[in-house]
Amino acid sequence: MPVRPTAEPPTGAAHDRVYRTLRTRIMHGELAPGAALTLRGIGKEFDVSMTPAREAVRRLVAEGALFLSTSGRVSTPELTNERIEELAALRALLEVELASRALPRAHMALIDRLQSINSNVAEMISKRDAVGYIRTNLEFHRTLYLRAQAPAMLAMAETVWLQLGPTMRALYGRLRRTEPPQNHRLIIAALKAGDEPGLRLAVRSDVTQGLRLLAG
Amino acid sequence: MPVRPTAEPPTGAAHDRVYRTLRTRIMHGELAPGAALTLRGIGKEFDVSMTPAREAVRRLVAEGALFLSTSGRVSTPELTNERIEELAALRALLEVELASRALPRAHMALIDRLQSINSNVAEMISKRDAVGYIRTNLEFHRTLYLRAQAPAMLAMAETVWLQLGPTMRALYGRLRRTEPPQNHRLIIAALKAGDEPGLRLAVRSDVTQGLRLLAG
DNA sequence: TCTGGTGTTTTGTGATCACAAAGCCTGCAT
DNA sequence: ATGCAGGCTTTGTGATCACAAAACACCAGA
């Protein structure tokens, strides 16, 4: 069918729906590193032709969320240790700045919200739910960074998250910890105290620690 | 034609050739902010059908190099002052880090090369060649940052350059200065002296100053 | 059992087409 | 002259198809 023959239930353009769904899947670690995708397979799953599937895949490749082999095959990326460390450094650089910019705007309502999200994070950890953990953890960070009023910077941080998605799955699927997120508590405490150096340190630690285990 | 019926002269895939050409054009400021593009027009210029034109455009939209209106029309972005300031802050953040990482690896051959490029920059300024100035200026920065051995970080910096391309054209087309790039000299001096704080400051100034004039 | 080659299938690429929606332009009425 | 309504044109979207190359499976020979 050409263009929206009848009114569709919720979504807009087909390629955008495919893109958003795949993006969320990758960012949340629902795909393992190196997982292969095919245009026809995607088209079949979303009940569209190859054209919108291709556009969605291209977009994700441009963002570094998918890897394109020389022969055109697409798969989730298998990152080298150097790459992982670099992306962790990027997270630190960007997210420390975002947190710092959010700090003067962080009111009590935001802190309450972060504490609420953080209890969900703890629940996911106790349930050993890797995907749920990644999702709620990113929600925690995004909620804070949204207060920074810096959309381009946040978009860039999300691009890094995207690139790390499959690797994070492999990481958190591997180590079986049950401790609640200590660094998140430090972040919240620093926000309450208006302690900028403490906030920067806490964010840097939170962002760096997990990935160092895998890459170190 | 389907796929490479006869051996082609230089290039690989059609969509990639279109993508790279457009990307260079945008990054170097050859397109004014708000300039409109059409898929059929691109296809005609590159002698391909709409399909590869669409893929190239999608990629560039994903990188923020092109703006997609709600009706699907594509044009180069017209940035708000807030957005320009944010992108300048991102440049500062990323490029200061890249320069810092390049510093311990910067040998004399690199410094010579930078000086050579910098004389080209000065020439472009004296010739009032806006596009040539942007191109050589970026070449100066990229040459330095390549030494940082941080491809993901460099890619992110280039994405910021891409987003600023049309705006930089508007900026440097407007102000008619003839002074040679003073900050580049400071960068080179700091590299020679192994002075990391001085290098960070010089890079931050160089990256920030021009855009502050437009956005301030 | 392993290796090499051959035929089949899968997969990405690009051209083309039909369709709808968004522009655009012209001309008429006030 | 100005505003608006009708059509005509331009433009993006998505489906489908042909084709080549890559991946795969299968089988025969050592």
Side-chain angles (χ1 to χ4, degrees), chain B residues 56-71:
Chain B
V57 165
R58 283 285 173 221
R59 251 175 106 174
L60 292 165
V61 168
E63 295 179 280
L66 290 176
F67 168 73
L68 197 71
S69 85
T70 57
S71 68

Side-chain angles (χ1 to χ4, degrees), chain A residues 15 51-52 54-55 58-63 68 83 85-87 89-90 93-94 97 101 149-154 156-157 159-160 163, chain B residues 15 51-52 54-55 58-63 68 83 85-87 89-90 93-94 97 101 149-154 156-157 159-160 163:
Chain A
H15 66 89
T51 313
R54 227 157 54 161
E55 296 203 24
R58 283 286 173 223
R59 250 175 108 174
L60 291 164
V61 168
E63 295 180 280
L68 197 68
R83 189 67 146 201
E85 284 179 21
E86 204 190 330
L87 290 172
L90 267 171
L93 209 60
L94 295 170
E97 177 70 17
R101 288 179 180 227
Q149 305 276 41
M153 214 172 277
L154 178 56
M156 228 148 232
T159 296
V160 180
Q163 296 184 39
Chain B
H15 65 89
T51 314
R54 223 154 51 153
E55 296 202 25
R58 283 285 173 221
R59 251 175 106 174
L60 292 165
V61 168
E63 295 179 280
L68 197 71
R83 180 59 73 127
E85 284 179 22
E86 204 190 332
L87 290 172
L90 268 171
L93 209 60
L94 294 169
E97 177 71 17
R101 288 179 179 225
Q149 305 276 41
M153 215 171 278
L154 178 56
M156 229 149 231
T159 295
V160 180
Q163 296 184 39

Side-chain angles (χ1 to χ4, degrees), chain B residues 201-215:
Chain B
L201 184 62
V203 170
R204 173 176 286 270
S205 302
D206 185 53
V207 154
T208 303
Q209 69 160 22
L211 291 166
R212 231 179 257 297
L213 290 180
L214 186 63

Side-chain angles (χ1 to χ4, degrees), chain A residues 131-149:
Chain A
V131 170
Y133 168 71
I134 294 173
R135 189 183 64 247
T136 52
N137 182 52
L138 291 184
E139 188 190 352
F140 179 89
H141 286 268
R142 178 164 26 228
T143 300
L144 173 57
Y145 305 151
L146 270 174
R147 275 301 196 288
Q149 305 276 41

Side-chain angles (χ1 to χ4, degrees), chain B residues 46 81 93 125 138 146 155 168 173 192-193 211 213:
Chain B
F46 290 90
N81 280 356
L93 209 60
I125 290 176
L138 292 183
L146 271 173
M168 298 228 290
K192 276 183 179 164
L211 291 166
L213 290 180

Side-chain angles (χ1 to χ4, degrees), chain A residues 106-132:
Chain A
H107 302 321
M108 209 51 205
L110 175 68
I111 295 175
D112 285 346
R113 184 121 182 270
L114 289 174
Q115 265 165 336
S116 165
I117 296 172
N118 200 33
S119 70
N120 294 337
V121 175
E123 184 189 340
M124 293 300 169
I125 291 175
S126 71
K127 284 201 302 185
R128 308 282 200 286
D129 180 347
V131 170

